[in-house]
Amino acid sequence: MSVYRMQQLKAHILPGNKTTAMAGPASPLTTHVLNIAMGVPGSNMAINLYRQDPSTNTWSLITTGTTNADGRCPGLITKETFTSGVYRLRFETAQYWESMGETCFYPYVEIAFTINDPGQKYHVPLLLSRFSYSTYRGS
Amino acid sequence: MAAAESSPLTTHVLNTGDGVPAARMALSLHRLDSQLMIWNMLSVGTTNKDGRCAGLVSGGALSPGMYKLRFETGSYWESLGQTSFYPYVEVVFTISAQEQSFHLPLLMTRFSYSTYRGS
């Protein structure tokens, strides 16, 4: 069975979109994980969103989620709680590849970014293979 | 130069927004102590005018484990009088017993970056 087929079956069998992310109006912060090695969305990948406290420089966990079949994770944060500051998105990349029987050079990927204007929308995608990744500020 | 080429870990930082090597960027290499679950800094360096940084690893091959290369990208862009979406970039990677040399470049602009395992 191809790895792609295995991924499709996994998406059907596992509970759909098991995320504690919130419902309601669209999150001002979105992500999109793409498995560019296989040309498919990076689905069922665990991700966490953290915010840094500027006075203590410690990180707090804001949201835990799992990407859906399209590699997205709606409801990462609400407009009300989206304040200026430094945030970090953590993607469990090795766990993702391991679930397909493969290794990954990166045990996880963390992308730290600065939100200066929480009134804007921010899209932080992750394009991933077993030995490379990229990200950009999208829309 | 020969020492840099034979180093088990090399990097190359490129400012692809301006089409130039990212010179004078501070970076550091860390290794995870898997028992204490803390990061130990192994070395610090600054990229040269070609965006490379010699001497990140002294001695022979890196022992197996989890490593982190941290690039002070925010400070770099600030020194050019610009802002950036990313305050820093950290690339965490795993070295297993069989592997010997690693090239970890960072291609970046103010609003994007990419990395890969090269040679």
Side-chain angles (χ1 to χ4, degrees), chain A residues 59 86 88 105-108 110-115 122 124 131-137, chain B residues 39 66 84-88 90-95 102 104 111-117:
Chain A
W59 294 93
V86 178
R88 177 160 56 95
F105 188 48
Y106 311 100
Y108 58 87
E110 284 190 340
I111 299 169
F113 51 96
T114 307
I115 301 298
Y122 296 83
V124 182
F131 296 99
S132 70
Y133 68 87
S134 68
T135 187
Y136 54 87
R137 183 185 168 181
Chain B
W39 290 100
M66 198 181 296
S84 168
F85 189 45
Y86 314 98
Y88 59 85
E90 286 188 346
V91 178
V92 182
F93 55 100
T94 307
I95 290 183
F102 302 84
L104 292 195
F111 296 99
S112 71
Y113 65 87
S114 70
T115 186
Y116 56 87
R117 180 177 170 181

Side-chain angles (χ1 to χ4, degrees), chain B:
Chain B
M1 304 313 133
E5 281 153 16
S6 64
S7 168
L9 177 70
T10 54
T11 186
H12 194 189
V13 189
L14 292 145
N15 172 348
T16 53
D18 294 323
V20 296
R24 287 193 304 280
M25 178 185 291
L27 50 86
S28 53
L29 177 66
H30 311 251
R31 184 172 195 277
L32 182 71
D33 179 324
S34 50
Q35 295 198 313
L36 300 176
M37 291 307 281
I38 55 169
W39 290 100
N40 294 318
M41 185 183 290
L42 299 180
S43 61
V44 295
T46 308
T47 55
N48 59 21
K49 63 175 164 36
D50 193 34
R52 301 179 195 272
C53 186
L56 273 177
V57 180
S58 54
L62 290 166
S63 53
M66 198 181 296
Y67 291 80
K68 173 169 71 171
L69 202 47
R70 177 180 167 117
F71 301 84
E72 302 300 339
T73 54
S75 306
Y76 168 80
W77 289 108
E78 257 174 56
S79 74
L80 296 177
Q82 305 198 284
T83 60
S84 168
F85 189 45
Y86 314 98
Y88 59 85
V89 170
E90 286 188 346
V91 178
V92 182
F93 55 100
T94 307
I95 290 183
S96 67
Q98 295 80 17
E99 296 152 308
Q100 291 303 312
S101 72
F102 302 84
H103 183 60
L104 292 195
L106 178 69
L107 284 62
M108 49 144 222
T109 69
R110 294 169 59 211
F111 296 99
S112 71
Y113 65 87
S114 70
T115 186
Y116 56 87
R117 180 177 170 181
S119 62

Side-chain angles (χ1 to χ4, degrees), chain A residues 45-84:
Chain A
M45 180 185 290
I47 64 181
N48 286 322
L49 173 68
Y50 304 85
R51 174 166 53 221
Q52 188 176 44
D53 181 314
S55 45
T56 60
N57 275 358
T58 54
W59 294 93
S60 314
L61 177 66
I62 308 280
T63 310
T64 291
T66 307
T67 56
N68 59 20
D70 193 33
R72 301 179 193 272
C73 190
L76 275 176
I77 199 165
T78 62
K79 277 179 117 80
E80 292 70 38
T81 50
F82 193 44
T83 54
S84 301

